[in-house]
Amino acid sequence: MLKKLIPWKSQNQPSSFRDQIMQLKSQEVPSHIAIIMDGNGRWAKKRSLPRVAGHHEGMKVVRKITSLANEIGVKTLTLYAFSTENWKRPKMEVDFLMKLPEEFLGTFLPELVKENVRVKMMGNTDKLPAHTLKAIEKAMNDTKENTGLVLNFALNYGSRVEILDAVKQVLNDVENGKLDKDSLSEETFSEYLMSSELQDPDLLIRTSGEIRLSNFMLWQLAYTEFFFTDVLWPDFSEEHFIEAIEVFQGRQRRYGGV
Ligand code: FPP
């Protein structure tokens, strides 16, 4: 049963909150959690605000959930921040989304460094504006020695393109004699993906009531547990995150066995 929580503060956690965290940590914590952060636009619309206000509120939620994930002992948190399809949105919204990593990292990077969080990015960097890439590269560089949570932003990411690029690379390597066709296995293929340094997600969370994957980590999610919630991303709280992990802990993962 979930108890009402106050907003998360590292130095000021109520005992019920600490108890919940202890309880979660006493069981298997998902090592890699991936989140499709959906519902920012609807959150804003409900308040008669511009869509970008929802994205901005969503950015604050990223900060809270990152800290909590790190605290619980999650090793990797992958966040779908911008898809290869999101370029179709109005220019003003795209420009805003491209500025969010700068604002997020400009505000929170020192705290992330202190919390031992390592920032990474997964996606095609070619089309990203220079200012976005610069902020991400600085964060990756400043946190490269950190050993805590890996905060992995999926930015200009699309799974089908990722898989196609991997296939092309495999074909090249076979042609050049670097790879023996018969030795190609699931493990070898995974090394050609953008997530090559990460384990597959154990838990996928999607907010806002949409029940689909939207071209997100299609290969990597093969055996992942899914948690869908109607909560819109800007309303997604520590309580909701804890609930998702509790649900995960109640699942039986059989990987096709019995
Ligand atoms: C989907 O909601 C959300 C996005 C396309 C952007 C997600 C970005 C954030 C939550 C902020 C990211 C923060 C950092 C630090 C990079 P939607 O706009 O499709 O919502 P809707 O379906 O209600 O319209």
Side-chain angles (χ1 to χ4, degrees):
M1 190 63 177
L2 288 172
K3 299 165 197 92
K4 188 87 199 108
L5 303 174
I6 63 162
W8 189 76
K9 292 261 185 306
S10 57
Q11 319 84 328
N12 191 20
Q13 296 167 352
S15 58
S16 62
F17 188 76
R18 283 198 302 274
D19 290 350
Q20 272 184 302
I21 291 183
M22 294 279 282
Q23 174 66 27
L24 278 188
K25 287 169 94 166
S26 69
Q27 295 179 55
E28 187 201 345
V29 169
S31 180
H32 183 174
I33 300 181
I35 308 185
I36 303 178
M37 310 179 287
D38 198 6
N40 296 347
R42 276 163 283 170
W43 182 92
K45 194 169 175 207
K46 270 170 59 180
R47 289 162 180 77
S48 307
L49 294 169
R51 291 177 54 78
V52 293
H55 296 314
H56 196 260
E57 200 60 27
M59 181 193 78
K60 296 185 204 159
V61 176
V62 169
R63 174 68 192 106
K64 281 193 297 188
I65 298 303
T66 300
S67 277
L68 182 54
N70 197 22
E71 163 100 4
I72 291 171
V74 174
K75 299 273 177 283
T76 307
L77 182 66
T78 295
L79 302 177
Y80 205 6
F82 193 90
S83 77
T84 44
E85 288 71 38
N86 287 152
W87 296 106
K88 293 181 208 148
R89 296 186 175 211
K91 182 175 180 319
M92 184 266 198
E93 185 173 341
V94 169
D95 288 349
F96 188 89
L97 284 169
M98 286 296 142
K99 285 199 184 109
L100 272 187
E102 271 167 285
E103 180 174 349
F104 177 81
L105 295 165
T107 312
F108 299 121
L109 187 58
E111 293 171 24
L112 296 175
V113 171
K114 252 192 230 155
E115 289 175 20
N116 198 23
V117 170
R118 181 166 183 192
V119 176
K120 284 199 175 196
M121 189 211 130
M122 175 174 88
N124 191 337
T125 53
D126 291 353
K127 259 181 94 178
L128 292 180
H131 60 88
T132 313
L133 198 54
K134 196 172 154 203
I136 298 268
E137 279 174 348
K138 178 182 175 348
M140 293 199 319
N141 194 47
D142 288 2
T143 61
K144 65 175 189 286
E145 306 295 344
N146 287 356
T147 54
L149 176 86
V150 171
L151 174 59
N152 181 36
F153 286 108
L155 203 57
N156 194 19
Y157 173 85
S159 186
R160 287 187 170 184
V161 167
E162 176 193 33
I163 292 171
L164 272 182
D165 285 349
V167 169
K168 287 180 199 163
Q169 195 55 49
V170 165
L171 292 174
N172 267 340
D173 283 358
V174 170
E175 234 172 68
N176 299 335
K178 280 195 207 153
L179 180 73
D180 171 14
K181 179 165 64 79
D182 296 326
S183 74
L184 184 62
S185 62
E186 291 181 18
E187 286 71 30
T188 325
F189 188 72
S190 296
E191 285 165 23
Y192 286 83
L193 297 172
M194 289 171 177
S195 56
S196 59
E197 289 172 14
L198 310 173
Q199 288 178 8
D200 289 342
D202 301 290
L203 172 64
L204 170 84
I205 299 172
R206 181 170 189 152
T207 57
S208 91
E210 308 295 351
I211 316 287
R212 56 175 172 265
L213 291 180
S214 301
N215 202 16
F216 188 52
M217 301 188 89
L218 302 178
W219 171 276
Q220 298 88 338
L221 295 174
Y223 285 103
T224 301
E225 295 296 325
F226 291 178
F227 179 85
F228 295 103
T229 171
D230 288 342
V231 175
L232 305 175
W233 177 251
D235 290 328
F236 192 77
S237 65
E238 290 91 346
E239 274 179 295
H240 298 122
F241 190 64
I242 288 172
E243 183 192 353
I245 296 177
E246 285 175 342
V247 168
F248 169 86
Q249 291 180 333
R251 299 258 177 95
Q252 269 197 348
R253 302 180 82 189
R254 290 193 292 275
Y255 301 96
V258 287

